[in-house]
Amino acid sequence: SYDLTQPPSVSVSPGQTASITCSGDNLGEKYVCWYQQKPGQSPVLVIYQDTKRPSGIPDRFSGSNSGNTATLTISGTQAMDEADYYCQAWDSSTYVFGTGTKVTVL
Amino acid sequence: EVQLVESGGGLVQSGRSLRLSCTASGFTFADYGVSWVRQAPGKGLEWVGFIRSKASGGRIEYAASAAGRFTISRDDSRSIAYLQMNSLKTEDTAVYYCTRDVTLIIVVTPLYYFDHWGQGALVTVSS
């Protein structure tokens, strides 16, 4: 099976940049998306097709994907960005989620 | 506005069955695939299975943990997708989400993701 690995947690100060990585074999050959999930809420799509933002998602969210690593970057992080973040890709007829990263805004 | 509303969750004993429904509105349900994704308490997201639109062949696939016990179906006339869960185990305890699926091929690369999620339905399996 295909695995996507994320760091369990990332801490960031308000206004600073948070980077969340998602690692998998030859991940750069697949499209990656990212979901944000706040406590008690459903996941929300924040990045799709590696770099694109759905309407309504602030431009402080950006993504990249190359080699074995995809990265979600939150620039000028705000308190409201504190949440769990999951990457997701498609492999061998299955949807694969990353292990999830808890972003804490200190 | 796209809306997905799950229903049918609850407490069930191990070995019994439960059927979840996902009622869609705000878009042409028949044009889209639907997936079910679950999240055990305090854990991450786990894909359970999908059903494609009839126009895309109606294909159905399941995760290994669901194959043989769970069945996904759809009623396009009522804009509802179903997740029939049989032989439930305590490890099936989770919030179950239905999603609207985006399925595209960009040149030769699949672009498959979930652009809308329901609010979730809690399924608790007791021993």
Side-chain angles (χ1 to χ4, degrees):
Chain A
S1 64
Y2 190 78
D3 296 322
L4 293 175
T5 302
Q6 300 178 232
S9 61
V10 167
S11 297
V12 60
S13 299
Q16 298 305 301
T17 296
S19 294
I20 306 162
T21 59
C22 173
S23 299
D25 287 344
N26 298 312
L27 186 57
E29 297 177 2
K30 308 177 188 297
Y31 285 121
V32 173
C33 67
W34 293 88
Y35 304 94
Q36 175 195 68
Q37 186 180 33
K38 296 181 179 179
Q41 297 184 19
S42 304
V44 172
L45 179 71
V46 295
I47 293 289
Y48 68 97
Q49 201 174 342
D50 295 340
T51 62
K52 298 183 177 180
R53 280 178 291 105
S55 61
I57 300 302
D59 60 6
R60 63 179 180 273
F61 289 89
S62 63
S64 64
N65 184 20
S66 179
N68 294 320
T69 304
T71 302
L72 174 68
T73 302
I74 312 173
S75 304
T77 306
Q78 300 183 8
M80 68 173 65
D81 300 329
E82 189 163 283
D84 294 327
Y85 291 83
Y86 296 90
C87 60
Q88 177 252 307
W90 168 263
D91 179 81
S92 301
S93 299
T94 65
Y95 293 90
V96 181
F97 286 101
T99 49
T101 299
K102 181 176 181 61
V103 171
T104 301
V105 183
L106 299 171
Chain B
E1 178 193 6
V2 173
Q3 284 199 323
L4 300 165
V5 178
E6 299 92 342
S7 59
L11 176 63
V12 62
Q13 282 190 319
S14 179
R16 303 299 290 266
S17 299
L18 200 64
R19 188 180 78 163
L20 302 182
S21 300
C22 170
T23 302
S25 60
F27 66 101
T28 303
F29 180 75
D31 290 346
Y32 286 85
V34 172
S35 283
W36 289 91
V37 176
R38 69 183 182 182
Q39 186 170 37
K43 302 298 185 182
L45 301 173
E46 179 189 14
W47 170 73
V48 173
F50 68 72
I51 183 167
R52 296 295 186 231
S53 67
K54 288 185 171 59
S56 297
R59 177 184 174 192
I60 303 173
E61 296 282 354
Y62 301 97
S65 59
R69 298 188 301 127
F70 292 5
T71 302
I72 297 173
S73 60
R74 61 189 298 155
D75 182 344
D76 289 345
S77 68
R78 302 177 63 197
S79 298
I80 301 177
Y82 300 100
L83 177 64
Q84 176 69 43
M85 301 182 289
N86 298 332
S87 304
L88 282 162
K89 307 174 183 180
T90 54
E91 52 264 42
D92 294 320
T93 293
V95 174
Y96 286 74
Y97 299 99
C98 65
T99 71
R100 189 178 81 165
D101 297 356
V102 172
T103 53
L104 300 168
I105 303 293
I106 309 297
V107 187
V108 295
T109 304
L111 175 58
Y112 293 170
Y113 62 94
F114 314 119
D115 68 345
H116 291 276
W117 296 62
Q119 87 287 352
L122 176 61
V123 173
T124 303
V125 183
S126 67
S127 56

